[in-house]
Amino acid sequence: MGHVIVVDLGFGDAGKGTVVDHLCRTSPVTAVVRFNGGAQAAHNVVADDGRHHTFAQFGSGTFVPGVRTHLSRFMLVDPLALAAEADHLRRLGVTDALDRLTVDRDALLTTPYHRAANRARERARGAARHGSCGMGIGETASYALAHDDAPRAGDCLSPARLRRRLGALHDWYRTMFPSGEDVPDVAACADAFTAFAGRVRIVDGGHLHRLLRSGDVVFEGAQGVLLDEWHGFHPYTTWSTTTFANAETLLDEAGGAGEAGGAGAAARLGVLRTYATRHGPGPFVTEDAALTAALPEPHNGTGPWQGAFRAGHLDAVALRYALEVAGGVDGLAVTHLDVAGARPDLRVCYAYATPDGRVDRLPKGGGDLDRQAALTRRLASARPVYAPLGRRPVETIEDALGAPVVLTSHGPAASDKRATGQPFSRNPGTLRRTA
């Protein structure tokens, strides 16, 4: 199979977890490497025996014996949430999840202070909330941009430095949000984080280099390209790079495809549903209240921070944009084909009708948040131009996006996945296409 990078092309929740689980079950995979986001991820995997787990920080291949998880330096690691996740996996019979885990020493730590600050800031926005998960992810990233002493995983190996950095963070939180919620004292937090360091392997960057040379690795992304910090529809975005970029940076650092003994290139796999979804506020051109009512999500309900889970029709305009800003894919994984088979009323949006005329492609942009905010305002007045999704949704999607569908999913379990027989190369230059 070779190394594979799995990225959601939409607003998240397209089925990355179940795709990663399938890849780990059908090919020898050494490890799943997480390369963006943190404990806010919610990758649902349902095993054929009925076990269900929402993977947040552990790789979604953890149900498969022997598959390791590596949290790269691009991850925001929440030790307390990780412990809770390990407890749930243990109750499902996965007793060695922590034994199979490694954490890069340079990964930022998400703490109770970040989480409390996140919630205080979101409450202050009132009706203008951005749709945060309330897990402290944005605060972790923004604090690190402003403070060189932001706590990192490696600090858990140095109790004195850890307490000093947690103390500075605690004081910052109390200064910024004097009426914010109560938080643990520094000593209690430091003790918990020190215990975390005693239970998991905290490693340097050389570990990933060796891991990539030891066998095939699946890079598992979080959220979706349309939520990217620079390419998403600002301000309804995440503080995370959700494209293939971080994974490919890690590969390049490990030697890349062209160097002797290098880690090799990775195939890019883009994941999408046969219909669109979005959890929380923000532009959603193809939203359909009737679909939202008819297609409830068993594992994605309305949350106190994110808000409602919304559904709409397949949006080829937004997906073309995602493909372009992400640099294209080698193949597509299409999920929820069982829904498409049961609902002949599903449609595909090929263009937007706007006050300035018909639009079938969005400007690429990126790197300019004012420009992205202007794009968000423009989408508010866009209306979808539809055609039927049809009885052959895979072919419709391939035609609309100009990329081959290499994996299909007809239900939540591992046995519901099918390879299409389309070639899927680990050499990205051979197949990468966009519409």
Side-chain angles (χ1 to χ4, degrees):
M1 179 181 73
H3 304 320
V4 178
I5 311 171
V6 177
V7 162
D8 188 314
L9 296 175
F11 294 108
D13 302 299
K16 295 180 295 299
T18 190
V19 167
V20 169
D21 173 71
H22 168 81
L23 293 175
C24 292
R25 291 180 184 278
T26 55
S27 297
V29 171
T30 298
V32 174
V33 176
R34 302 297 302 272
F35 63 89
N36 75 299
Q40 93 284 25
H43 299 177
N44 290 289
V45 173
V46 179
D48 285 335
D49 60 13
R51 289 179 299 164
H52 164 253
H53 180 72
T54 302
F55 286 94
Q57 295 179 87
F58 286 99
S60 294
T62 303
F63 274 155
V64 182
V67 175
R68 303 186 63 82
T69 293
H70 178 65
L71 305 183
S72 74
R73 63 183 173 85
F74 292 115
M75 279 288 288
L76 311 179
V77 177
D78 185 332
L80 302 182
L82 191 68
E85 187 177 354
D87 284 343
H88 186 256
L89 284 166
R90 191 176 299 110
R91 292 196 297 273
L92 296 177
V94 183
T95 59
D96 63 345
L98 286 171
D99 298 324
R100 290 188 266 152
L101 176 73
T102 50
V103 181
D104 191 295
R105 63 181 302 115
D106 289 330
L108 289 167
L109 290 176
T110 296
T111 71
Y113 314 131
H114 294 112
R115 186 179 306 170
N118 176 189
R119 295 178 178 185
R121 200 181 301 276
E122 191 74 343
R123 285 191 196 98
R125 293 186 176 117
R129 284 188 180 188
H130 293 174
S132 168
C133 294
M135 299 289 290
I137 301 304
E139 295 295 336
T140 304
S142 63
Y143 182 86
L145 289 173
H147 300 83
D148 292 336
D149 62 347
R152 297 180 182 270
D155 296 329
C156 297
L157 299 171
S158 176
R161 184 171 68 233
L162 176 67
R163 285 174 180 259
R164 185 169 62 251
R165 293 188 168 188
L166 288 176
L169 175 59
H170 175 276
D171 292 346
W172 167 86
Y173 166 68
R174 280 302 179 201
T175 299
M176 292 292 294
F177 304 99
S179 60
E181 63 189 65
D182 291 339
V183 291
D185 64 36
V186 171
C189 190
D191 287 346
F193 283 22
T194 301
F196 157 76
R199 185 63 182 85
V200 305
R201 287 180 61 202
I202 297 176
V203 298
D204 62 20
H207 174 80
L208 179 57
H209 297 186
R210 294 185 292 273
L211 193 64
L212 289 166
R213 288 167 173 80
S214 68
D216 290 344
V217 164
V218 176
F219 289 85
E220 181 178 0
Q223 301 160 294
V225 174
L226 297 179
L227 295 174
D228 184 80
E229 57 186 337
W230 294 112
H231 298 290
F233 306 137
H234 185 73
Y236 305 102
T237 55
T238 181
W239 284 71
S240 179
T241 296
T242 60
T243 65
F244 299 95
N246 286 350
E248 293 190 331
T249 294
L250 294 171
L251 279 162
D252 287 344
E253 292 172 352
E259 299 181 20
R268 295 173 163 213
L269 184 62
V271 185
L272 66 148
R273 294 189 185 215
T274 55
Y275 60 100
T277 63
R278 178 160 198 164
H279 205 164
F284 189 5
V285 176
T286 63
E287 183 175 11
D288 185 326
L291 277 185
T292 299
L295 298 173
E297 288 279 319
H299 308 305
N300 279 307
T302 297
W305 299 102
Q306 281 178 286
F309 194 82
R310 305 147 69 192
H313 298 277
L314 189 72
D315 189 339
V317 180
L319 290 169
R320 290 180 195 129
Y321 173 79
L323 284 168
E324 188 171 5
V325 300
V329 295
D330 301 305
L332 299 170
V334 178
T335 66
H336 295 78
L337 280 158
D338 51 328
V339 175
R343 295 198 63 96
D345 58 329
L346 289 183
R347 294 175 285 176
V348 55
C349 169
Y350 283 101
Y352 298 159
T354 76
D356 300 320
R358 180 180 168 120
V359 171
D360 59 11
R361 285 185 179 276
L362 298 176
K364 183 175 177 181
D368 182 339
L369 295 184
D370 288 337
R371 180 187 176 117
Q372 294 306 111
L375 178 58
T376 298
R377 292 191 294 272
R378 185 180 179 192
L379 291 176
S381 61
R383 296 296 176 264
V385 178
Y386 284 128
L389 183 61
R391 299 178 63 181
R392 300 169 67 89
V394 168
E395 288 84 350
T396 299
I397 289 168
E398 289 182 327
D399 290 343
L401 302 184
V405 173
V406 299
L407 181 67
T408 59
S409 177
H410 302 261
S415 59
D416 296 321
K417 311 296 178 288
R418 302 284 186 274
T420 65
Q422 286 266 37
F424 185 44
S425 171
R426 73 179 292 179
N427 184 356
T430 61
L431 280 178
R432 190 164 304 159
R433 294 183 277 172
T434 57

